[in-house]
Amino acid sequence: MCRTLATFPNTCLERAKEFKTRLGIFLHKSELSSDTGGISKFEWATKHSKERSFSEDVLGWKDSFDFLLNSKNGVAAFHAFLKTEFSEENLEFWLACEEFKKIRSATKLASRAHHIFDEYIRSEAPKEVNIDHETRELTKTNLQAATTSCFDVAQGKTRTLMEKDSYPRFLKSPAYRDLAAQASATSTSASNSSPAEPSHT
């Protein structure tokens, strides 16, 4: 697992640089215009930021893990960071559980429950999350009569793992620190500018 830039393998360092570059471009474009295109999967997040500016959003991610998870921009940034550590399956599982809870069809619920279990929970699953044996067995038992809460224990443990382990490293990462510095400077600049400057026509 990649912990610091000094110990990053080349491929991991490249991913970290890509993350930093993409988010830097995202910040720049979101401040200039919400109509600017061509920033891949981050573009939709900009258009959904209605109550807070992107700069305020970025600075808020360090306030709490809940704040980060409730921010579309934050989730996208955190996912990009987790990819540099090869642990994105934890967040993907958490997000899959959130979507799972919205299903109302019993047939679809059962089908989706087995799909999530096979992808994230069973031993040697393609995106196996780090949970204990008891939680894995409990989740397997819950699938016999799938409900919207059958993944609650596993989701909770995965969330705690991210909050205690990955989240602090995300906040200390050069990519986030640089982005936060840019956001802070942008926010300060905006608050110091006059709301109505004289026209020079």
Side-chain angles (χ1 to χ4, degrees):
M1 184 172 289
C2 307
R3 300 275 175 129
T4 65
L5 282 177
T7 59
F8 273 4
N10 287 338
T11 54
C12 207
L13 181 57
E14 286 170 9
R15 287 190 182 192
K17 287 180 178 178
E18 179 188 6
F19 162 60
K20 177 179 173 181
T21 301
R22 289 171 74 183
L23 286 180
I25 292 172
F26 180 40
L27 173 65
H28 179 66
K29 287 184 179 292
S30 68
E31 294 299 332
L32 292 178
S33 169
S34 61
D35 297 324
T36 307
I39 49 175
S40 67
K41 67 181 179 181
F42 292 115
E43 185 175 17
W44 57 267
T46 310
K47 294 181 178 179
H48 285 80
S49 295
K50 295 178 180 177
E51 295 182 4
R52 298 170 65 92
S53 72
F54 182 70
S55 294
E56 291 173 324
D57 199 22
V58 169
L59 295 174
W61 299 345
K62 65 180 181 294
D63 291 343
S64 75
F65 191 50
D66 283 327
F67 190 103
L68 177 71
L69 291 179
N70 285 321
S71 161
K72 288 186 182 344
N73 296 325
V75 167
F78 189 47
H79 185 256
F81 169 76
L82 291 177
K83 278 192 168 185
T84 70
E85 296 200 329
F86 306 100
S87 61
E88 66 269 23
E89 70 278 354
N90 293 320
L91 180 60
E92 289 174 6
F93 170 64
W94 186 87
L95 292 170
C97 290
E98 290 297 289
E99 289 302 311
F100 174 76
K101 293 173 186 176
K102 299 174 184 177
I103 298 174
R104 293 295 171 258
S105 163
T107 303
K108 194 176 290 185
L109 196 74
S111 173
R112 183 60 182 161
H114 282 87
H115 177 77
I116 292 174
F117 183 86
D118 286 341
E119 189 170 10
Y120 297 102
I121 303 296
R122 69 173 173 81
S123 295
E124 299 183 8
K127 296 183 179 181
E128 185 179 356
V129 293
N130 185 16
I131 55 175
D132 57 85
H133 176 72
E134 290 75 12
T135 301
R136 182 174 286 108
E137 289 303 307
L138 171 64
T139 306
K140 185 176 181 180
T141 301
N142 289 344
L143 258 62
Q144 294 173 13
T147 66
T148 54
S149 62
C150 67
F151 292 108
D152 282 2
V153 175
Q155 184 188 20
K157 293 199 172 185
T158 303
R159 183 197 181 286
T160 298
L161 180 65
M162 289 191 293
E163 183 175 17
K164 302 297 184 187
D165 188 40
S166 305
Y167 175 58
R169 287 201 303 277
F170 168 71
L171 296 181
K172 292 176 183 176
S173 68
Y176 175 71
R177 290 169 67 176
D178 286 357
L179 189 64
Q182 292 179 53
S184 181
T186 302
S187 182
T188 301
S189 175
S191 63
N192 289 340
S193 64
S194 174
E197 296 192 8
S199 171
H200 295 288
T201 54

